[in-house]
Amino acid sequence: MKKIFTVLLISTLSLISALAQERFSITLTVDSAIASQPQQVYLYSQIEREMQLHDSISIDSVHRQGTLYGTVPYEYNVNLMFSRRGPGIVPVVVKNGDRMKIHVGDEDDGFNIRYIDKVEGSPSTLEYVRYYQQMDSISELNRKVYRQLQRYGITEQEADSLGKIRHELDMAKERLALHYANTGKSPYGVLGAASRVYGSHRLNPSMHGYTEKEVDQMMHSVLRRFRDYPPIQAFVNDSVLGRNYMSAESFSINSMFWKRYSRRFFDETEDSIVRPLKVGDYMNVLHLNDYRGQYLYVDFWASWCEPCLQQMPNIKMAAQMFPEDLAVVLVSMDKTSKQWWSKVKELDLRSHPKDAHPYEIKNLRAFNDKTGKMLPEVKRLNIRTIPHNYLVDRSGRIIAKNISGNLLIDRMKELLKKEGKQ
């Protein structure tokens, strides 16, 4: 009997060990600010367009480390998501049996995708991270150029020059994708780059600058290096291999954005105020009533909101063009002050009282730094999307809502012309 029990125990332990080997694990450590608010961290993936929750852990100021477990059919991307503070999404690449360690620092606090490079135990993740960080750096340059293109009064010559720069940056991304597809060692990451190259070339061969020979050589290289990786086989001919394989179409980075723009501004435990808004509600936001006698432009924005950033050059220009008649107030919806102020400095959205032509831009935040909660004056406005802005006349009457920087300048010219000032 004792011998039978010993055999059963050994068999059970062997089974548990085998099952443990089949799972991957991610040991997560976070810094103090991110752990200051008790919250859940979720681990999920999207395979064949179906969302799967693998695991979750609780973290707080005392418990700042935990391990999450899951399984994937083959090397694949999974995502960490913080419910309150921290990155919006942390993508990592895993295969069963991986034992990863990830550190998320306070500098990573903010609702964005974060390609964390503080990773141990996953060369595939580090390769994937480096590739997308390079892609993102080129994209950020492109966005900056695009904002310049949106400037009020830009000349045709300037527009042509900036357009050429944008084209060069677009080509740089395409060449980077081709290079990674030909040289990468992670089948998941390589497939993402290869699908970009293959799809771009097939949809518009002349636009993306790939030759037929380059695309064919890339496909042969991918097949030769990762012949046994099921999604690679499906990428070539998924109609033959059947539905059990991942198609190239499934490898879309858009799946990472599923939570990105959810109700991040709101505390779900509190009821929102739905009564009709009055002028006083807007004017009471952080004592904006002090600006009576001037036209007032209030813009709600965030450092991660690209449409908001695109119109900032023109909002700044409006402050410069009408310094005596227009007060500009920017109210950030960023939950963390670091990202907010970094973007303010980058775009130079500050007052310049000592310039030859001084002007003022007032910067405020919609969140309380100590509590992390939205200020009640802002919450009462029930803002659902950004950019959200409005223009108030000298008497405190709202005369326009959701007016872009270009339209703001034109509108101010009209108003001042009626007053005889222009």
Side-chain angles (χ1 to χ4, degrees):
M1 188 70 179
K2 186 175 181 180
K3 186 175 182 180
I4 294 173
F5 175 76
T6 303
V7 171
L8 287 173
L9 179 61
I10 292 173
S11 300
T12 303
L13 292 173
S14 298
L15 178 60
I16 292 172
S17 177
L19 290 173
Q21 287 297 320
E22 290 177 359
R23 296 191 301 174
F24 65 83
S25 69
I26 300 176
T27 299
L28 172 69
T29 305
V30 301
D31 282 356
S32 56
I34 293 174
S36 62
Q37 298 178 22
Q39 63 171 313
Q40 289 291 113
V41 181
Y42 299 95
L43 175 67
Y44 67 93
S45 65
Q46 184 174 343
I47 299 176
E48 288 292 2
R49 300 193 179 278
E50 291 186 6
M51 195 65 64
Q52 178 183 357
L53 176 65
H54 294 273
D55 200 359
S56 68
I57 58 172
S58 300
I59 59 173
D60 54 41
S61 57
V62 177
H63 306 94
R64 289 165 42 192
Q65 186 180 87
T67 302
L68 301 105
Y69 299 92
T71 60
V72 285
Y74 28 73
E75 181 177 280
Y76 196 75
N77 157 240
V78 296
N79 301 304
L80 290 171
M81 185 183 70
F82 293 70
S83 62
R84 295 183 69 84
R85 294 194 62 164
I89 293 172
V90 179
V92 295
V93 179
V94 295
K95 60 182 179 298
N96 292 336
D98 280 354
R99 301 289 177 262
M100 298 176 60
K101 293 181 180 178
I102 294 178
H103 175 262
V104 177
D106 291 340
E107 68 274 13
D108 299 308
D109 191 1
F111 281 86
N112 280 308
I113 285 184
R114 285 286 187 274
Y115 297 105
I116 304 293
D117 52 11
K118 300 169 186 174
V119 177
E120 295 178 28
S122 177
S124 293
T125 293
L126 291 174
E127 181 182 275
Y128 179 78
V129 163
R130 283 191 289 269
Y131 169 63
Y132 274 105
Q133 284 177 333
Q134 288 178 285
M135 279 289 190
D136 283 354
S137 66
I138 299 172
S139 296
E140 180 58 29
L141 287 174
N142 205 331
R143 286 190 288 267
K144 288 180 179 178
V145 175
Y146 183 73
R147 288 175 214 145
Q148 292 297 308
L149 270 169
Q150 303 305 304
R151 285 179 303 162
Y152 187 86
I154 188 172
T155 67
E156 188 173 336
Q157 184 178 2
E158 287 176 319
D160 288 344
S161 177
L162 291 170
K164 290 178 182 177
I165 295 174
R166 289 197 74 205
H167 177 72
E168 290 171 2
L169 291 170
D170 286 336
M171 290 301 99
K173 289 182 70 172
E174 301 303 330
R175 306 314 295 184
L176 176 60
L178 180 64
H179 175 74
Y180 179 45
N182 282 322
T183 61
K185 298 178 181 178
S186 162
Y188 173 82
V190 164
L191 181 57
S195 63
R196 177 193 178 104
V197 173
Y198 184 87
S200 297
H201 179 69
R202 290 291 176 262
L203 288 172
N204 199 331
S206 61
M207 181 181 217
H208 297 92
Y210 303 122
T211 66
E212 189 78 30
K213 182 178 180 180
E214 283 179 319
V215 176
D216 285 346
Q217 287 178 339
M218 176 200 72
M219 293 304 300
H220 286 301
S221 172
V222 169
L223 278 172
R224 186 171 60 251
R225 283 144 57 209
F226 307 111
R227 186 170 299 278
D228 297 328
Y229 187 56
I232 295 290
Q233 298 174 28
F235 182 77
V236 180
N237 193 352
D238 61 357
S239 62
V240 174
L241 296 173
R243 294 185 179 180
N244 292 329
Y245 292 90
M246 181 77 66
S247 66
E249 184 185 12
S250 299
F251 281 75
S252 169
I253 197 171
N254 290 332
S255 65
M256 295 183 188
F257 288 79
W258 72 281
K259 186 70 177 176
R260 196 175 183 192
Y261 294 114
S262 62
R263 295 168 56 84
R264 70 182 69 180
F265 298 147
F266 307 100
D267 184 344
E268 302 288 356
T269 61
E270 299 180 19
D271 294 328
S272 60
I273 297 172
V274 294
R275 65 172 174 76
L277 293 169
K278 299 178 181 179
V279 172
D281 291 320
Y282 287 95
M283 298 303 294
N284 287 334
V285 175
L286 309 176
H287 306 293
L288 296 184
N289 201 41
D290 296 342
Y291 295 92
R292 283 187 184 272
Q294 290 179 286
Y295 288 97
L296 171 65
Y297 183 73
V298 181
D299 184 73
F300 291 87
W301 69 292
S303 64
W304 43 262
C305 170
E306 185 56 33
C308 303
L309 302 181
Q310 287 172 5
Q311 66 172 357
M312 284 304 173
N314 292 327
I315 294 176
K316 178 181 174 181
M317 184 178 292
Q320 294 170 322
M321 291 175 69
F322 315 108
E324 296 179 1
D325 298 285
L326 178 67
V328 173
V329 179
L330 305 179
V331 184
S332 167
M333 304 297 279
D334 285 282
K335 284 194 171 183
T336 59
S337 58
K338 185 172 182 178
Q339 279 188 290
W340 159 64
W341 193 242
S342 175
K343 190 60 69 173
V344 168
K345 290 190 292 184
E346 177 189 334
L347 301 180
D348 193 21
L349 302 175
R350 295 172 289 185
S351 299
H352 288 268
K354 296 182 179 179
D355 278 10
H357 301 283
Y359 63 94
E360 181 180 6
I361 299 176
K362 189 172 181 63
N363 280 281
L364 305 170
R365 274 186 66 236
F367 285 84
N368 184 305
D369 272 330
K370 292 182 179 179
T371 65
K373 289 187 175 293
M374 181 179 286
L375 297 170
E377 297 92 338
V378 180
K379 190 176 180 66
R380 192 174 296 120
L381 301 180
N382 203 27
I383 297 169
R384 297 288 176 176
T385 59
I386 54 174
H388 176 94
N389 49 59
Y390 52 88
L391 179 64
V392 181
D393 69 11
R394 297 184 191 275
S395 66
R397 183 172 58 95
I398 297 170
I399 57 176
K401 286 186 183 179
N402 296 324
I403 177 172
S404 70
N406 272 325
L407 295 176
L408 170 64
I409 293 173
D410 289 337
R411 188 67 178 274
M412 283 300 300
K413 286 182 176 180
E414 292 174 7
L415 292 167
L416 295 178
K417 186 176 181 180
K418 287 181 180 179
E419 294 179 3
K421 287 200 167 189
Q422 286 201 357

